[in-house]
Amino acid sequence: MNIGEAARRAGVSAKMIRHYEQNGLLRPAARTEAGYRQYDRHSVEELKFIRQARVLGFSIRQIEDLLRLRRDPHRASRAVRTLAEQHLAEVEEKMRELAAMKTTLEQLIAACPGDEHPDCAILERLSAPANEQP
């Protein structure tokens, strides 16, 4: 199938397919005599796998590792689980960082009167040097 059909079946754009090929996530497609890319069912399955991994927030590097493990019939599931656990730890850390951002923003918003006066704690805090931040 051509790149447009592969993209449709996998739920990604043709641009993303070319991007994944350039980054080495997807093996280069076979080419017709005219130079058009041709994909098979296996390529579409890998594209779906990549798309789902991206939805879960795995990095390109992590997806490379997952694909390598997926392609290895002698892999240990332990290796896959370890990779997923590491990603989960990263997600949890990001969630803590986002929670801290949320708290700070809530405090700043509460401290800004939001009226016609120019004084605003949000602008003052953002203007303060990092070492003076509470």
Side-chain angles (χ1 to χ4, degrees):
M1 71 193 82
N2 66 28
I3 194 168
E5 179 64 15
R8 187 187 67 73
R9 288 185 185 193
V12 299
S13 67
K15 181 178 179 179
M16 289 310 300
I17 293 175
R18 288 188 290 273
H19 175 73
Y20 294 149
E21 282 184 8
Q22 288 173 340
N23 285 330
L25 284 181
L26 187 65
R27 293 177 178 149
R31 300 277 185 151
T32 65
E33 287 184 24
Y36 293 106
R37 290 175 169 91
Q38 290 292 299
Y39 297 90
D40 58 16
R41 193 179 79 246
H42 178 72
S43 296
V44 171
E45 291 303 315
E46 287 211 335
L47 285 165
K48 289 177 182 178
F49 181 90
I50 293 166
R51 184 194 72 222
Q52 185 59 29
R54 294 297 292 155
V55 165
L56 292 174
F58 284 98
S59 69
I60 296 295
R61 171 66 191 230
Q62 291 168 323
I63 295 171
E64 286 173 351
D65 292 341
L66 287 168
L67 283 168
R68 186 178 28 69
L69 289 165
R70 182 177 190 254
R71 293 169 183 156
D72 179 3
H74 305 292
R75 70 183 169 265
S77 65
R78 176 183 332 99
V80 181
R81 182 183 174 126
T82 297
L83 213 160
E85 288 172 339
Q86 290 168 349
H87 181 57
L88 178 59
E90 293 168 6
V91 168
E92 289 171 338
E93 177 60 26
K94 286 178 188 174
M95 290 174 67
R96 284 189 289 278
E97 290 171 3
L98 286 170
M101 277 193 263
K102 179 181 182 282
T103 299
T104 301
L105 284 168
E106 288 170 342
Q107 292 168 350
L108 289 173
I109 291 167
C112 180
D115 57 19
E116 294 76 31
H117 296 91
D119 296 331
C120 178
I122 298 168
L123 296 177
E124 291 167 13
R125 170 81 183 272
L126 293 175
S127 298
N131 61 351
E132 294 179 19
Q133 305 268 334

